[in-house]
Amino acid sequence: MTITAQPVRIEELDAHFQKRRHQVPVLARRAQEAGTTAIRTADDVLPLLFPHTTYKSYPESLVSKGRWEQLNRWLDSLSTYRVDVDVDGVADVDGWIAHLEEAGHLVSSSSGTSGKGSFLDKSARDREVSLQNLLDCLTGMGLPPDRSWNFIPVGPETRVSQHVATRDLLVDSFHRRDGVALPPSAAPEGHHRYMSRLSAMRKAMADGTASPDEVAAFEAEAAQRQQLQDGRLSYLAEQILARPTERFFFSSQFPQLFRLTEVLRELGASDGDLTGGNALTVAGGLKGVTLPPDYRERIFGILNIAPERFLHYYSMQELNLRMPKCLAGRYHVPAGLHLFVLDRDGESLVPLQGGVAEGRAAFFDTTVDGRWGGTISGDKVVAEYGECSCGRPGITIHDDIARFSDLHDDDKITCAGTMDAYVRGFIEG
Amino acid sequence: MTTAAVHTKIKVPHFVRGKLVWGEDCEYLSRDFGVPFVTPRIAFDELFVPRSELGPAFAVSVSEIIDFLVETAKHLTLETNPYLQESLEMTVQVSALPRRIIENTFARPGQFLTRQALEYRLERTFGGTDVLDGWVERTDPSGKVCRIRAFPPRLVHMLAGNSPSAAMTSIADAALVKAVNVFKMPSADPFTTVAVLRTMADIAPDHPVLQSISAVYWRGGDRQVEDVLYRSQYFDKLVAWGGGAAIENAARYAGPGFQLISFDPKVSMSMIGREAFESEQTLREVAERAAADVTIFNQDACLAARHICIEGDLDQIDRFCALLQERLGVQRDFASEVGPKPNAEIRDAVEGMRFLEPDYRVWGGFDGRGLVVRSPEPVDFHPTNKTVNVVPVTSLQDATRFATVATQTVGVYPDHRKAEIRDRLATAGVQRVVRLGSAMTGSMGTPHDGMYPLHRFVNWVVDDDA
């Protein structure tokens, strides 16, 4: 087997570095520490890629104690354009994000139920590129924006402006004028507020300051949010079953989509009832939710989705560009995106063995405007360099992507603990 | 973390009731460096005597067992013990700690095993040895008579593999209560338990204590083994040292008749009063003592401090932080001058804080020599790899709110102020309050993790005449 080095497009990277190194303070600092003034080799660029955790490296207390001025300073350190935004009257994290959006910083935040959220400063241009890329991916697989579908935003719905913008774009591009009436955006308000409260609640549990009544109230609220989502899914299911022969275009994540198929079955539907050639777009994997091993077959069966009408892409909020999956089952890395396959620790490039590299995925997205485009992900990937069996050239990623955090050593026993072991989670909200 | 250069397969023998068993039936990877090792297949029936039989050591007196342990300790000296030497060489290949520190842990792993120490411990735990050796008669206030025995239990021990002395401690505990035992060895060190047992077998190959012990390896969570063994019909209690997926997994087997005795994974902290600033010399001494507690096993231990709460004004505290950072980079018996570097999570969070001065301040870098982070409240990352978080407080009383159910040891300066805060610490969940700088030492016969372990190990059985 031949062992070669991964191809790296140095000149392009250096051009971006020269532009951003005077703009993004953390990049400037890292470059200074490494003594890097120009990217001449792959080794120069690796220490300058930001681990995905960088975007949640702020102290949690800045949010829980409402220190918005300091949160601005933290965000500024990772931004291309200065975060000089008045935070007077900001009451909570949703308010902070709203203030920043007014000033052109379209802060993207993701937050899990188990930890604190990340904040990424995106510009209007970032959002434009990302939305256009979504339409391009769909058009590229034969799903042009022709407003010929019943477009079903399965959700989960939030009022995060990026989610809303994506949903609106897809509705405007694909939904028939006489299509099913979509439910009013029923997302409970204050998505980030809720998520940051969830995070604060978890911390309070760990600190021992949360009272049992507070825990009970929170559990109840989470259950209520779940119920709202289920109500929305029931409404959508009824609309779908009322027009079984029409064409539907679903947009979702797998766990929520699977729940929809369960609701459909509860309403008496079975495979073959829907006869339109339906389409689907899904971002990401299972988000840590466990589904039955045949969940895809079950979803595709009842929703009547064919592989050629299914846009499954790999991306992350650090990237504007998507990697759409081809019919051969591989994610294709587009031209504007650099892929680096690194070792487990994210410190060096792994060699290509027979044109294949396996390791931690890192990216440089040349279209990223509001930040530095270099990111080290938490994902373990297998990448192939050469022609894909679908017939197209270029770099592809196999579809069995794992998160390193899920690949923990299950035989490690240690007396040195962390608080995590002592906190039981809340129900998913 | 670097990769070990040596990648030959290490042969790991099992120890089954006095006999050494070699084999290459199963292959595994070690915890920290993925070094491959091979073990024999486990023959379940041979591991322990069934409930229908009395355990081999049930009728042996504690005094006789102590004799055996004390004799064993004499032979547990690295320079003269070939098994320890061999185990050391293998441990060096799979451990995250440098050779020098491992050698220090191997030097005299049995030094705590003296007759006086063991008898004192049993006295503090059981009020003597008679209740271990037989049925002790008691008469209650109404005149009813019964006989009590701390009856030998049937135990599975999931070892953590921190050090040879931990292996020796588990063997001694198992022996003192005369238990029927299976030791599940850790992948971080599947060697040392067997090395100690071989040493014992050379002294008295057929000793009933050894007839009561098997030490084997399987991968934690292997259902083919755990579904079979973890049953109340075979064992009374699962003794779990530490935490992690393997223990969480094993804990799921706990149920009626099969109890979990858990030595939980813990974190530790220090609390320093304003007396530290009485003089430059005092401050230097306090910084040294604080650093000693932080750096234990390069901070990969439950009793290594991770947060330090300190009274004082910011200028004073910053001076302390600077001195502390200097002392973190000192070579010690159980700490490296340059240890493993802080992980990406710490690097990210600390880089972010550099933009948040003066509320946050950082001393040191990410080079493994020690990193001090001052913040208005405890940081939300887990300080490890010689990273310590200093939190200014208005009073030590106030600092006690940062102690939680996960806190094990709290080191306090000055010594006399322990009394001022120990009740508040204990109600928060803390189990051990010590003098700053003394986290690693301790008195004999004290409780551990909120219990007297041997008292929990045994089965308390009554023969009642009432």
Side-chain angles (χ1 to χ4, degrees), chain B residues 313-343:
Chain B
D313 63 46
L314 266 197
D315 288 343
Q316 289 177 318
I317 291 172
D318 284 357
R319 172 93 184 108
F320 166 77
C321 290
L323 290 172
L324 174 64
Q325 198 275 331
E326 276 175 31
R327 300 309 299 167
L328 293 179
V330 171
Q331 178 170 309
R332 300 167 193 276
D333 282 356
F334 298 106
S336 309
E337 183 183 344
V338 182
K341 293 174 186 172
N343 59 28

Side-chain angles (χ1 to χ4, degrees), chain A residues 25-26 29-30 33 50-55 57-62 65 67 70-71 73-74 77 116 203 206-209 345 347 408-419 421-422, chain B residues 1 31-32 158-160 162 184 187 217-220 241-247 264-267 300-302 306 348-349 351-357 359-360 376-377 380 382 404-406:
Chain A
V26 168
R29 182 171 194 119
R30 286 201 172 192
E33 277 172 6
F50 294 175
H52 61 115
T53 46
T54 304
Y55 293 103
S57 68
Y58 60 91
E60 201 277 333
S61 57
L62 299 192
K65 301 206 167 153
R67 298 189 186 134
Q70 283 174 309
L71 199 57
R73 270 163 62 197
W74 171 83
S77 73
K116 64 182 182 183
K203 187 166 186 308
D207 296 346
T209 53
D345 297 331
E347 286 172 359
H408 50 96
D409 181 349
D410 60 6
D411 203 18
K412 175 168 177 151
I413 301 178
T414 169
C415 76
T418 65
M419 196 58 228
Y422 293 80
Chain B
M1 209 169 271
R31 168 180 119 187
D32 288 316
M158 293 193 76
L159 303 179
N162 308 47
K184 187 262 179 235
S187 62
Y217 181 80
W218 68 83
R219 185 163 179 80
W241 288 88
I247 301 268
D264 291 331
K266 291 287 181 178
V267 291
D300 188 9
C302 49
R306 298 173 195 280
D348 274 352
E351 265 185 5
M353 284 169 186
R354 289 189 199 270
F355 293 88
L356 297 173
E357 284 187 10
D359 302 277
Y360 296 78
E377 56 274 303
D380 46 19
H382 180 62
T404 72
V405 289

Side-chain angles (χ1 to χ4, degrees), chain B residues 15 171 183 192-202 210 213 215:
Chain B
F15 184 90
I171 291 168
F183 289 95
T192 308
T193 307
V194 170
V196 173
L197 291 168
R198 289 175 80 177
T199 307
M200 296 171 86
D202 281 357
L210 296 181
I213 294 179

Side-chain angles (χ1 to χ4, degrees), chain A residues 18-178:
Chain A
Q18 294 307 336
K19 202 161 80 180
R20 288 281 182 265
R21 74 184 179 108
H22 301 298
Q23 295 173 321
V24 180
V26 168
L27 179 65
R29 182 171 194 119
R30 286 201 172 192
Q32 191 193 354
E33 277 172 6
T36 305
T37 55
I39 292 174
R40 296 189 184 87
T41 67
D43 288 341
D44 292 334
V45 73
L46 298 187
L48 301 178
L49 302 175
F50 294 175
H52 61 115
T53 46
T54 304
Y55 293 103
K56 53 176 166 185
S57 68
Y58 60 91
E60 201 277 333
S61 57
L62 299 192
V63 174
S64 62
K65 301 206 167 153
R67 298 189 186 134
W68 312 116
E69 190 63 53
Q70 283 174 309
L71 199 57
N72 275 355
R73 270 163 62 197
W74 171 83
L75 188 69
D76 181 86
S77 73
L78 293 163
S79 300
T80 304
Y81 307 110
R82 301 286 58 83
V83 181
D84 188 12
V85 178
D86 183 16
V87 290
D88 272 2
V90 170
D92 58 25
V93 66
D94 289 277
W96 178 68
I97 288 174
H99 268 67
L100 285 163
E101 286 203 352
E102 277 167 31
H105 298 277
L106 308 180
V107 174
S108 159
S109 168
S110 82
S111 32
T113 48
S114 60
K116 64 182 182 183
S118 54
F119 295 116
L120 287 82
D121 192 355
K122 298 189 177 184
S123 69
R125 185 157 165 259
D126 284 317
R127 178 167 295 173
E128 229 167 82
V129 169
S130 175
L131 291 178
Q132 186 57 48
N133 177 253
L134 178 57
L135 289 184
D136 291 348
C137 287
L138 287 164
T139 304
M141 62 183 298
L143 298 171
D146 58 4
R147 305 210 63 166
S148 69
W149 303 81
N150 286 292
F151 180 78
I152 307 291
V154 182
E157 289 250 290
T158 70
R159 292 207 176 157
V160 177
S161 73
Q162 175 161 325
H163 299 168
V164 173
T166 307
R167 173 191 190 270
D168 289 351
L169 174 84
L170 290 171
V171 170
D172 291 347
S173 306
F174 294 94
H175 196 52
R176 277 165 36 181
R177 280 163 223 285
D178 61 345

Side-chain angles (χ1 to χ4, degrees), chain B residues 40-105:
Chain B
R41 193 178 309 284
I42 296 172
F44 295 116
D45 283 1
E46 292 170 21
L47 296 183
F48 53 94
V49 296
R51 273 196 194 272
S52 54
E53 289 175 32
L54 295 177
F58 285 13
V60 181
S61 73
V62 167
S63 182
E64 207 176 308
I65 291 169
I66 289 176
D67 283 342
F68 188 31
L69 292 173
V70 170
E71 182 62 23
T72 301
K74 284 188 202 152
H75 293 79
L76 288 179
T77 302
L78 182 61
E79 298 89 71
T80 56
N81 185 317
Y83 305 131
L84 283 182
Q85 289 163 7
E86 188 184 48
S87 180
L88 168 75
E89 294 307 321
M90 293 192 283
T91 304
V92 165
Q93 289 185 51
V94 300
S95 175
L97 290 169
R99 186 185 184 94
R100 180 185 61 81
I101 293 179
I102 296 170
E103 277 180 5
N104 288 341
T105 68

Side-chain angles (χ1 to χ4, degrees), chain B residues 140-353:
Chain B
D140 80 2
S142 66
K144 289 175 186 149
V145 174
C146 70
R147 280 154 294 274
I148 308 281
R149 185 168 178 195
F151 200 77
R154 307 169 69 86
L155 306 174
V156 182
H157 308 251
M158 293 193 76
L159 303 179
N162 308 47
S163 67
S165 64
M168 190 59 245
T169 302
S170 289
I171 291 168
D173 286 358
L176 288 170
V177 296
K178 312 176 188 182
V180 169
N181 306 281
V182 167
F183 289 95
K184 187 262 179 235
M185 296 187 287
S187 62
D189 172 10
F191 323 113
T192 308
T193 307
V194 170
V196 173
L197 291 168
R198 289 175 80 177
T199 307
M200 296 171 86
D202 281 357
I203 299 165
D206 303 320
H207 198 286
V209 161
L210 296 181
Q211 291 297 311
S212 307
I213 294 179
S214 292
V216 294
Y217 181 80
W218 68 83
R219 185 163 179 80
D222 181 347
R223 296 192 54 177
Q224 288 185 34
V225 178
E226 295 181 356
D227 278 359
V228 173
L229 285 184
Y230 289 175
R231 294 175 185 277
S232 56
Q233 286 75 13
Y234 305 143
F235 297 100
D236 301 309
K237 293 163 197 191
L238 177 70
V239 182
W241 288 88
I247 301 268
E248 283 162 33
N249 203 49
R252 281 188 220 122
Y253 290 90
F258 187 59
Q259 298 172 9
L260 177 67
I261 300 177
S262 172
F263 299 88
D264 291 331
K266 291 287 181 178
V267 291
S268 294
M269 63 196 299
S270 307
M271 297 194 174
I272 297 173
R274 62 186 79 257
E275 294 86 343
F277 300 107
E278 272 166 8
S279 72
E280 175 69 13
Q281 195 196 339
T282 306
L283 185 61
R284 284 181 181 278
E285 190 197 318
V286 170
E288 163 56 23
R289 284 166 65 173
D293 282 351
V294 169
T295 54
I296 296 165
F297 289 115
N298 289 337
Q299 216 178 8
D300 188 9
C302 49
L303 41 75
R306 298 173 195 280
H307 300 274
I308 297 177
C309 299
I310 184 166
E311 297 173 343
D313 63 46
L314 266 197
D315 288 343
Q316 289 177 318
I317 291 172
D318 284 357
R319 172 93 184 108
F320 166 77
C321 290
L323 290 172
L324 174 64
Q325 198 275 331
E326 276 175 31
R327 300 309 299 167
L328 293 179
V330 171
Q331 178 170 309
R332 300 167 193 276
D333 282 356
F334 298 106
S336 309
E337 183 183 344
V338 182
K341 293 174 186 172
N343 59 28
E345 190 202 353
I346 293 178
R347 290 202 302 266
D348 274 352
V350 171
E351 265 185 5
M353 284 169 186

